[in-house]
Amino acid sequence: MDALKENKDGTKKKSFFEKLRRYKVFLLMLSPAVIYTLIFSYYPMAGVVLAFKKYTYAGGIWGSKWNGIENFKFFFRSGQAGTVIRNTVLYNILFIVVGTAFQIAVAVFLTEIKGRMFRKVSQSMMFLPYFISWVIVGVMAFNIFSSDYGIVNRLITAMGGEKIPFYSQPAKWPWILLFFNIWKGIGYGSVMYLAAIMGIDTSVYDAAAIDGANVFQRIFHVTIPSIMPTVIILFLLSIGGIFKGNFDMFYNLVGNNGLLYGYTDVIDTLAFRALITSNDFGMSSAIGFMQSVMCFITVLLANKLVSVYDRDYTLF
């Protein structure tokens, strides 16, 4: 029995209470974060039962009657399920692919800049939009694309052209949303890639320079391959939200403009309208629960595919 309590190096294993006593200070420091997570992340998860209930104010969460999967059926029978799921997935794929490309490009650009002051100013200017509220961004978009007050239409009419009714032409909005998504997140998103590039051994660049590699050859043959583990891990983390739309962005830029719903309506905005207009707590909960399950399955599948390529790049 004593042998079972020994580690591979021959030392005796410490019991749970011994470890608890030894690391009590660290555990005490960790406890606020653990308590916060339990209260605000795990405790509210009990409300997922609303997805399987016909909610009433009189019954509340626990007193309302069960209705099985009727809330899920209602969502798929509404005629909007296919549209919002398609929009959510395609927008997220577009944001992830294009956003990642721009973030890597910005990180590489910043590392190649020789002037220290110019690099710091450039990084700060690109980081600034991240702190701007989507409400403000929505106002900015209105002042740019509005038919009556927008800068774009004023320039067009000043040059003798006709106004473009952006807020009644849904086909233009995927590109508008992509622009604002990249503009707002490019500075913050490039930080991780910038840190990964800074961690590359400078001797590798020196060796490449000695071999005659120019700037672009060093970028594509040294920098990009070296940060691929970081790119893949961040990609997997992004995949986890592929069925979740950025509600703040879509709602503040598009609002309740029904003319644009065909191209801009996502799962989150549909759930919000179901809750606000019809007080359908059950359907909103069912949509949220479905999103979480689909995102979890997507992460598992993506992680499995990455493990086929290289086991070291996986999340777990």
Side-chain angles (χ1 to χ4, degrees):
M1 293 296 292
D2 292 335
L4 295 175
K5 295 182 179 180
E6 290 184 354
N7 295 314
K8 292 182 179 180
D9 58 359
T11 58
K12 289 186 176 181
K13 290 184 178 180
K14 289 183 171 61
S15 68
F16 172 77
F17 293 103
E18 288 177 342
K19 291 180 180 179
L20 195 66
R21 186 165 51 252
R22 180 177 181 181
Y23 300 111
K24 59 183 179 182
V25 176
F26 297 105
L27 293 172
L28 186 63
M29 294 171 61
L30 183 64
S31 59
V34 173
I35 294 171
Y36 177 87
T37 304
L38 290 173
I39 294 175
F40 294 101
S41 296
Y42 284 90
Y43 176 70
M45 286 175 64
V48 76
V49 297
L50 281 177
F52 306 95
K53 288 190 171 188
K54 179 65 176 177
Y55 179 82
T56 60
Y57 288 103
I61 296 177
W62 308 113
S64 299
K65 294 181 179 180
W66 296 89
N67 68 345
I69 59 172
E70 289 301 316
N71 293 322
F72 297 91
K73 289 181 179 180
F74 181 74
F75 169 62
F76 286 103
R77 290 172 181 170
S78 65
Q80 299 172 291
T83 300
V84 296
I85 291 174
R86 179 202 65 195
N87 289 346
T88 305
V89 173
L90 291 180
Y91 270 117
N92 279 313
I93 292 174
L94 188 65
F95 293 159
I96 292 171
V97 174
V98 180
T100 299
F102 272 91
Q103 290 162 13
I104 293 174
V106 166
V108 172
F109 168 75
L110 290 173
T111 55
E112 293 295 331
I113 294 176
K114 301 302 180 184
R116 180 181 177 86
M117 182 60 67
F118 181 73
R119 182 170 65 247
K120 293 295 183 183
V121 172
S122 300
Q123 188 175 4
S124 300
M125 292 297 293
M126 284 185 286
F127 208 96
L128 181 63
Y130 177 77
F131 298 102
I132 300 176
S133 168
W134 278 113
V135 177
I136 304 301
V137 176
V139 175
M140 292 169 58
F142 182 79
N143 282 280
I144 293 173
F145 299 110
S146 171
S147 297
D148 298 324
Y149 310 104
I151 297 173
V152 173
N153 279 312
R154 286 190 177 185
L155 290 175
I156 291 173
T157 53
M159 292 185 291
E162 295 183 0
K163 293 181 178 181
I164 301 175
F166 288 100
Y167 283 90
S168 60
Q169 294 185 353
K172 290 182 172 57
W173 278 88
W175 309 110
I176 295 173
L177 292 168
L178 176 64
F179 168 78
F180 281 107
N181 180 269
I182 293 175
W183 171 76
K184 196 171 187 299
I186 193 169
Y188 181 82
S190 64
V191 171
M192 293 296 294
Y193 300 113
L194 188 62
I197 294 173
M198 292 299 181
I200 300 174
D201 190 353
T202 55
S203 63
V204 181
Y205 289 105
D206 296 336
I210 293 172
D211 289 339
N214 58 34
V215 174
F216 295 102
Q217 289 173 327
R218 292 199 300 270
I219 291 173
F220 288 104
H221 295 285
V222 177
T223 305
I224 301 299
S226 298
I227 66 173
M228 278 308 295
T230 303
V231 174
I232 292 174
I233 289 173
L234 292 178
F235 172 76
L236 288 175
L237 293 174
S238 300
I239 284 291
I242 198 168
F243 286 98
K244 291 184 179 293
N246 187 339
F247 174 78
D248 291 338
M249 178 182 68
F250 284 96
Y251 187 74
N252 285 292
L253 289 179
V254 178
N256 293 317
N257 189 344
L259 296 174
L260 306 180
Y261 283 167
Y263 280 75
T264 62
D265 205 15
V266 292
I267 297 175
D268 299 75
T269 52
L270 177 63
F272 175 76
R273 289 201 308 275
L275 182 62
I276 296 299
T277 59
S278 60
N279 291 328
D280 197 333
F281 290 88
M283 179 179 170
S284 300
S285 300
I287 293 173
F289 179 69
M290 181 193 68
Q291 280 182 298
S292 301
V293 172
M294 290 193 298
C295 288
F296 178 68
I297 294 173
T298 305
V299 170
L300 293 179
L301 292 175
N303 193 71
K304 183 63 178 178
L305 292 175
V306 171
S307 68
V308 175
Y309 172 71
D310 193 330
R311 186 72 183 175
D312 294 333
Y313 291 170
T314 58
L315 290 174
F316 47 86

